[in-house]
Amino acid sequence: MSFYNTAANDGDTTFGQAAIAFTRQKSLERLTPETFCIFDFEYAYDLRSYDAYRQTEDPNGKLKCKWPYHHVVAGAWALITYPPGASQPLVHNVSVLDARTHDEVEMVRAFFGLLDRHPGAVPVGWGTECKEMPTLRRTAATNGLILPKMLRDSHPHSRDRIDLSNVLRGQGHHVHLPEYAHAVGIPAKPMASKAIGKAVEHGQWDEVREQVLADVLTTAIIANRHLISAARVSGDVHASDATIFAELAAAWPQSRWLNLQNRGWDVHRREKGDGHTALAA
């Protein structure tokens, strides 16, 4: 049994608390800053090209437009840096783009550029190994873009990235982002997941923009809780949740979902904080 566990479990409460404090401080000294890039994209479906393929290969088959026919029409991302010993992370480089001002290649190039400028950042998403990563690889290959180093390993459990849907479930059943978020009390999805395709089709770009930023927010808070509980970073989980929510909501003040319907969620989280910090071993 380690010194930490012995101190924590013996009968001498005073000695135990002092030992825990000492161990926490030593853990802090070994931590280095870590930065994570939380990201999400929304897509339009190239049904014309897919139907041409289907008519050639399987005209009577089930209509299922898969990722090679998905094209980026909106994207959002943010860097979150955890300084050693800080109770809250730093949220920076927040971007939200959509098809009104950027085409697919421009959005993907902007995302790649961020990762190239921050080579230590770890990309984090939900379900990204199933959709974002295949589409980003296809877009890069088709348009002569160079993948940032952390996106080059195609293994679905690459150490260069974190797909929270894989990491959190282990061998459990696959769950959707809003399904998990609802279970743990995190705001998610201004519109139902199945409705976003129609919003893209009808050019409802404010709604699409709000959805993609909301997905980054939800993913960032889930990531924050996971990273602290896994002792990978230090931080007060309540205060960190609140900081992430406040900073991402401020990135788009026009969002009624972020700034009106969920107003006060970050304050509620901050008030629950007790000032304790979870530290990496």
Side-chain angles (χ1 to χ4, degrees):
M1 182 177 289
S2 70
F3 174 71
Y4 182 98
N5 287 332
T6 300
N9 294 320
D10 71 12
D12 187 343
T13 303
T14 302
F15 174 75
Q17 292 302 316
I20 290 170
F22 174 81
T23 304
R24 283 176 169 168
Q25 182 59 40
K26 289 301 180 183
S27 295
L28 273 180
E29 293 172 2
R30 292 194 295 270
L31 279 176
T32 58
E34 284 213 64
T35 298
F36 302 87
C37 179
I38 315 298
F39 72 103
D40 186 66
F41 292 98
E42 299 294 349
Y43 302 87
Y45 305 133
D46 186 355
L47 295 174
R48 180 178 298 178
S49 294
Y50 174 72
D51 191 58
Y53 151 76
R54 194 168 67 95
Q55 292 301 322
T56 301
E57 295 290 332
D58 190 15
N60 299 314
K62 182 180 179 181
L63 179 66
K64 187 171 179 61
C65 186
K66 300 175 185 176
W67 61 263
Y69 300 92
H70 298 181
H71 294 275
V72 170
V73 292
W77 49 83
L79 296 183
I80 301 181
T81 298
Y82 291 83
S87 63
Q88 304 166 40
L90 304 173
V91 181
H92 53 108
N93 292 84
V94 181
S95 292
V96 190
L97 306 176
D98 65 62
R100 290 174 291 189
T101 56
H102 296 74
D103 64 23
E104 177 179 39
V105 175
E106 290 169 335
M107 279 186 265
V108 172
R109 184 181 286 120
F111 178 59
F112 286 3
L114 177 76
L115 295 180
D116 287 336
R117 293 191 301 275
H118 298 270
V122 179
V124 180
W126 186 281
T128 40
E129 294 300 321
C130 295
K131 187 159 187 179
E132 272 76 9
M133 285 310 306
T135 57
L136 288 172
R137 286 192 287 264
R138 188 221 62 228
T139 302
T142 303
N143 296 282
L145 304 179
I146 303 300
L147 289 164
K149 68 178 184 66
M150 56 283 268
L151 303 185
R152 294 174 190 170
D153 180 3
S154 61
H155 194 287
H157 298 285
S158 170
R159 291 182 178 272
D160 296 331
R161 302 180 298 276
I162 298 174
D163 183 337
L164 289 165
S165 68
N166 288 336
V167 170
L168 292 177
R169 73 185 178 94
Q171 294 297 309
H173 291 295
H174 172 79
V175 296
H176 300 291
L177 176 63
E179 188 177 6
Y180 181 89
H182 185 79
V184 296
I186 299 174
K189 298 285 185 186
M191 69 174 70
S193 301
K194 293 184 178 180
I196 190 65
K198 287 295 183 183
V200 169
E201 185 180 330
H202 295 147
Q204 296 171 316
W205 296 115
D206 282 349
E207 289 82 355
V208 174
R209 187 183 182 93
E210 185 174 59
Q211 184 91 340
V212 74
L213 180 59
D215 282 353
V216 167
L217 166 69
T218 305
T219 303
I221 293 174
I222 294 171
N224 175 65
R225 296 179 179 187
H226 166 67
L227 293 167
I228 292 174
S229 68
R232 181 159 177 174
V233 301
S234 66
D236 179 288
V237 69
H238 303 289
S240 297
D241 277 0
T243 295
I244 291 167
F245 184 95
E247 292 294 332
L248 291 179
W252 198 35
Q254 302 94 317
S255 170
R256 290 177 57 84
W257 184 81
L258 286 168
N259 293 289
L260 184 61
Q261 291 174 245
N262 288 291
R263 179 185 295 166
W265 188 87
D266 55 323
V267 176
H268 170 66
R269 289 296 292 173
R270 196 180 301 276
E271 289 173 347
K272 290 182 70 174
D274 60 4
H276 294 166
T277 301
L279 304 176

